[in-house]
Amino acid sequence: MMQTPLSIGIMMEHAEKFFAKKEVISQTHDNLHRLTYAEVGERTRRLMSVLGQLGIQKGERIGTLAWNHHRHLEIYFAAPGMGAVLHTINIRLAPEHIIYIINHAEDRILFIDEDILPLIEQVRDKLNTVKTFVVMTDKDERPESNLTPLYSYEKLLQTGSPEQPFENDIDENDPAVMCYTSATTGKPKGVVYSHRGIVLHSYALGLADTAAISESDVSMPVVPQFHVNAWGTPFACTWFGSTQVMPGPRFTPKRLAAFIERFKVTITAGVPTIWLGLLRELEQEDYDTSSLRAVLCGGSAAPKGLIKAFEQKLGVPFAHAYGATETTPLVTYSRLKSYQKDLSEEDTLNERSKQGILVPGLEMRVINDAGDVTWNGEEMGELLLRGPWIASEYYEDDRTANAFRDGWFHTGDVVTVDGEGSIQIVDRTKDLIKSGGEWISSVEIENAIMAHESVFEASVVAMPDAKWQERPIACVVLHKDHHIGKDELLTFIRPQFPKWWVPDDVLFFDEIPKTSVGKFLKRELRTQVKEYYEIKN
Amino acid sequence: MMQTPLSIGIMMEHAEKFFAKKEVISQTHDNLHRLTYAEVGERTRRLMSVLGQLGIQKGERIGTLAWNHHRHLEIYFAAPGMGAVLHTINIRLAPEHIIYIINHAEDRILFIDEDILPLIEQVRDKLNTVKTFVVMTDKDERPESNLTPLYSYEKLLQTGSPEQPFENDIDENDPAVMCYTSATTGKPKGVVYSHRGIVLHSYALGLADTAAISESDVSMPVVPQFHVNAWGTPFACTWFGSTQVMPGPRFTPKRLAAFIERFKVTITAGVPTIWLGLLRELEQEDYDTSSLRAVLCGGSAAPKGLIKAFEQKLGVPFAHAYGATETTPLVTYSRLKSYQKDLSEEDTLNERSKQGILVPGLEMRVINDAGDVTWNGEEMGELLLRGPWIASEYYEDDRTANAFRDGWFHTGDVVTVDGEGSIQIVDRTKDLIKSGGEWISSVEIENAIMAHESVFEASVVAMPDAKWQERPIACVVLHKDHHIGKDELLTFIRPQFPKWWVPDDVLFFDEIPKTSVGKFLKRELRTQVKEYYEIKN
């Protein structure tokens, strides 16, 4: 067989040739843009040419601080397409973390949305490697800024060659993209994606039994492009010729709902928090969402109530998936097997609330102290992963040794696997609650509480206990204008659990602290709960 | 990213773990078998263990002379799974060609269906490298034979370990499978498929916009397993957990139709000749074919009448594809784009009769003497291909130099490409007819003739002509009990072509000579036509 490399450039060339008329619809700060893949392809080529003019060398890192829009998409292909490395920076990180990752990645150039300029102006003096700044704006005038040299994206493109070829000399294992994941303690950790990893992951997204991304799709990634490449959808959707709808900066549930209706979005992807927000919007106002064929949900486990609302009230298939920054990210996808179509409504919902089966191309193990667990839906163990789109290390980081051992990535996620091979996230290894020598899953209790109609969010954490070692405490946010007490809530969940799983207390919050990507920040929550009891006692 | 190889063993392991209950339904000479993937997986492991016991070394070739059934499927995974190379032998080749390819591939062991034993017994003395024979039969008694040593497949399996692991030490570029393609002149040419090529090709078959092979499919490969791995469907279907229906030895259209009804086949694959036969059966008898979601057609261009009959009369989507032994084989797949859904019935049929657009992961060029052709559906050129599942050579064969040049596989197929990037096969380079300095496509005239309701088959060949260099002659087989003359046929097609394209003569045949895989054997036909005119004049 020919030794042609799997490379990202080929994906855009495919779109230019076979899907030239299809569109990317992009909301920026000022305007709604509609560009064809012929245009996006030409602009990508101009950008590669410009990057060369600006002195960017093969292998150098190109940072982006940007929302989901067409310019960000162009950099997705131009950076790896010219042999450099796209580095998407999470704009929600604390400034000291942003400084750290730009310096650690040694970014040479930063592409910055106009509303994010102040963030970088503020830390500019601490960036050691950045030589050039580019602002992405629709305005003719470049904004006032202390960043120098500061170019305007659109003006730069005018100087590039529309026929610049994609770099030919690519080894498929060359780095193409990198992304830092926030650690629960310490600095963020960098993950590098190769051309090979991105291409194979894109195939996985196109499979009929996973996301089935297709030319006939209209895809709206809500998950940010700075978060694991918006789960890889912009790469796959471009390759397969889907229409893409980029919702732009600081979108609201209202904009998402309006875009679904207006552009007939068929597939969209995001974390549970986003879908909770969208659900409330859809319940308050009338929108035509009949075009949707799948709502992809990942990042953390979706509560059953959310799945039920989307599937049964709105008639929208809710597709649970699992992955991580270290896994590009798609690892499992939830889809009923052909012989499960006759399951009862409740059993179907149970299946839907699992994270699904492994995507073809990866290998998994689930282990605890006794070795590989039995696939019976009950035994818990840590999920280990192996495969061509699983990272093998953190970028220049000592923490590699702990997570990547014996040829496997140790996810830190505790799961069960049922007889069908479908996994269910039970907890993070570090969030499991150990009571009287037995494990309690904080996530299972959270899901049970969130099934109550008055509950908006719930997070369960461990508190030290003299007798039992640890005991669970539930932290709950209620829906607006809902009133319910501790006893009613515990009575509601009690039938579902052994007696010793039931939380010792329920605390009501206005808001639960979250990470920059919308996951519960349990470390912070534990501190708050601990302080509460210290003050109380 | 991890450097885990793409390997065939992982595909079967995936089926064993995630699709253990799904079935392979297999017709052998004596029985209909139903095995789960758990069972097929265990038998595959036993077979790998047996192959080791028989002294098969890594990289050695394992020949099969077999129809489509579960045992053949097991060898598909066991041979590459233990690091050896599966060599599927076309049982329809002439004995001297079978001798040639077994010796050329240096097969160490042959797995033979019981009804094919006589073929090998007859040539046994000329096989230089085969050390062991295995007969595949349901019978307890091994048949009488001069082949020694001759083992029975089922008895051997009993001696193998059901837990034999797949070979761990696989380089993804290692040879996994080989297949010989019959040449129009000279000996067959060998093509070697790597693990990498087979895995990537399987991803391509699972994409939503190509064959979309899925767990919910019931796949019946009619194209033989000895012909380009039944187009790769057994690999992809096992990986993705589809039910597989193997139609076994010497099947008839009646058996195919009955299996579609009985097992609710959703997807099936074969050459136009097969579908012509099935169509006649479906017109004569009542069958429930409502389960079918796609009929894959490749090998040669399907006449419009056939496509129309399947799509419009039977309501079965007819999916035209293109490929070759050298391309694993999937290269293009015909599927209307989302914005083509409102085409008229006739335009839809025109689109359907093209071979479709390039599958993601490959690159193509179409060139003639003036360079790359314009994609306007009119300019003709030879199709050149490049990509990770395109062969880079013929196995130990001087003819490599001619077909594999400048990094591209020169297919020898003349095509047009329309504005959508959809290719249409116009002819083989060697079958184009050159008249008065201009090219005439024999295939286009054939398709036009075959659109006549009285015509069963038509083939157009060039005859030397003193004035025009070459002139087209049509060779036609009529449907039984149909009577129609030369003039009526030429009048029928005349409006569709320039005057000088219309054949000089129409000759009526009982049968048109075909290759072992059902394609018109134009070399032989030209000889017959030439002889006819020599006798006549």
Side-chain angles (χ1 to χ4, degrees), chain B residues 2 6 11 23 42 61 70 105 130 141 158 182 191 196 264 270 307 347 367 398 442 479 496 504:
Chain B
M2 291 183 182
L6 305 172
M11 302 170 99
E23 279 186 324
E42 186 193 306
R61 268 73 68 203
H70 65 291
V130 180
E141 289 300 303
Q158 290 167 20
S182 48
V191 173
R196 172 182 166 98
K264 302 196 191 315
I307 301 174
D347 286 345
I367 59 164
D398 290 343
S442 62
H479 282 300
Q496 302 173 51
D504 280 6

Side-chain angles (χ1 to χ4, degrees), chain A residues 47 61-67 69 71-76 79 85-91 98 101-102 107 109-113 116 119-120 134 136 153 177-178 225-227 229:
Chain A
L47 181 55
R61 268 73 68 202
I62 294 172
T64 61
L65 293 127
W67 303 97
H69 52 61
R71 295 184 183 109
H72 208 172
L73 182 70
E74 289 154 9
I75 309 172
Y76 262 49
V85 181
L86 165 71
H87 172 206
T88 56
I89 300 162
N90 184 342
I91 58 180
I98 290 187
I101 68 176
I102 292 175
D107 292 336
I109 183 169
L110 293 181
F111 286 81
I112 311 166
D113 273 1
I116 306 169
L119 177 69
I120 297 302
V134 181
M136 294 188 279
Y153 186 89
V177 184
M178 69 189 298
Q225 285 188 265
F226 55 74
H227 181 58
N229 311 323

Side-chain angles (χ1 to χ4, degrees), chain B residues 126-145:
Chain B
K126 293 179 181 148
L127 305 181
N128 305 328
T129 59
V130 180
K131 297 208 162 19
T132 311
F133 301 89
V134 180
V135 61
M136 293 188 280
T137 172
D138 293 348
K139 299 181 182 73
D140 283 340
E141 289 300 303
R142 213 179 48 202
E144 282 292 316
S145 174

